[in-house]
Amino acid sequence: GQQLNQSPQSMFIQEGEDVSMNCTSSSIFNTWLWYKQDPGEGPVLLIALYKAGELTSNGRLTAQFGITRKDSFLNISASIPSDVGIYFCAGGRRNEKLTFGTGTRLTIIP
Amino acid sequence: GAVVSQHPSWVICKSGTSVKIECRSLDFQATTMFWYRQFPKQSLMLMATSNEGSKATYEQGVEKDKFLINHASLTLSTLTVTSAHPEDSSFYICSALRGGPSSNQPQHFGDGTRLSIL
């Protein structure tokens, strides 16, 4: 099935650095979601976006719903060790299944 | 809120065995649940959409006789992998949708089930 283009595919950063990742699509979505998945666990919802242009924060995380409705980004400020994991974006439309991004693997270098 | 429980978290069994995985929404009713399969270092792949009181909708390429889905109540969906073989070994994850397919609510995921067929 279709997948969203998510970049970067992986990131290696030092603790305390800021992180930025994004997701792009060739078609529009009504909802953008960001999930984090730890090894051996299911994805956990971080932020849900419902309106074009919406900017939403959850602690050190900030995500925006692109104005064209075809993209979204997630920023993490002042990264800490527990931020390690795989981040997935997902685009949604009413009465349709979610379309997932390919994931961004975040690694923090000691 | 929005807690989804998946059981068991880990299964190891012999080839030919049938395995049942349960997905429960603990604090909300879910008329729609989803079953995903995830291979190592890959994204989630939707297998089927489970609808309470009706037949599941399977994605292209997913064998409905192999992966039986039952959504008998508003809080429980089950996935049964029938006559499992080593190639069925994978990480299976369910999710539940609060408010039904036309709602704008996000999916909430269970913790996944690691299935290993010997």
Side-chain angles (χ1 to χ4, degrees):
Chain A
Q2 179 194 4
Q3 282 190 324
L4 302 174
N5 295 317
Q6 189 172 343
S7 65
Q9 189 173 20
S10 59
M11 302 183 73
F12 296 84
I13 62 167
Q14 291 189 321
E15 184 177 349
E17 286 186 31
D18 296 343
V19 172
S20 184
M21 60 189 79
N22 67 77
C23 228
T24 60
S25 169
S26 57
S27 52
I28 64 173
F29 289 102
N30 297 324
T31 306
W32 280 96
L33 307 170
W34 285 93
Y35 291 90
K36 177 176 183 277
Q37 186 178 26
D38 290 330
E41 298 183 13
V44 174
L45 181 67
L46 299 174
I47 294 178
L49 303 162
Y50 298 103
K51 289 173 57 177
E54 179 182 354
L55 184 71
T56 298
S57 293
N58 178 6
R60 293 178 296 105
L61 278 62
T62 302
Q64 185 160 29
F65 192 138
I67 197 72
T68 65
R69 297 167 69 188
K70 294 182 178 181
D71 61 347
S72 177
F73 73 74
L74 174 70
N75 287 342
I76 306 173
S77 63
S79 59
I80 60 177
S82 62
D83 291 333
V84 166
I86 303 176
Y87 293 80
F88 290 102
C89 64
R93 304 183 190 91
R94 289 184 191 274
N95 293 313
E96 290 188 15
K97 58 191 178 184
L98 284 181
T99 302
F100 281 89
T102 47
T104 296
R105 183 180 296 270
L106 180 62
T107 302
I108 294 185
I109 305 167
Chain B
V3 178
V4 177
S5 173
Q6 191 171 336
H7 178 82
S9 56
W10 195 293
V11 179
I12 302 174
C13 58
K14 293 181 179 179
S15 185
T17 307
S18 291
V19 178
K20 179 185 283 188
I21 304 170
E22 293 186 347
C23 182
R24 294 179 184 273
S25 56
L26 297 185
D27 56 351
F28 65 98
Q29 293 183 333
T31 55
T32 305
M33 291 185 176
F34 302 88
W35 288 97
Y36 294 84
R37 185 172 179 176
Q38 188 178 33
F39 293 102
K41 298 186 178 181
Q42 293 191 21
S43 188
L44 285 76
M45 181 184 75
L46 181 65
M47 298 175 65
T49 302
S50 171
N51 304 296
E52 188 268 336
S54 64
K55 292 182 179 180
T57 304
Y58 289 82
E59 295 299 300
Q60 190 173 9
V62 178
E63 299 176 59
K64 61 181 181 181
D65 295 330
K66 173 75 172 178
F67 299 99
L68 300 178
I69 292 173
N70 185 285
H71 194 153
S73 78
L74 287 171
T75 58
L76 174 65
S77 175
T78 60
L79 168 68
T80 300
V81 183
T82 61
S83 186
H85 288 92
E87 59 267 27
D88 298 322
S89 299
S90 191
F91 191 54
Y92 293 87
I93 314 173
C94 73
S95 71
L97 186 61
R98 191 201 299 253
S102 63
S103 79
N104 216 16
Q105 295 294 314
Q107 292 180 27
H108 295 274
F109 288 85
D111 279 340
T113 297
R114 172 75 58 194
L115 177 61
S116 297
I117 308 298
L118 305 177

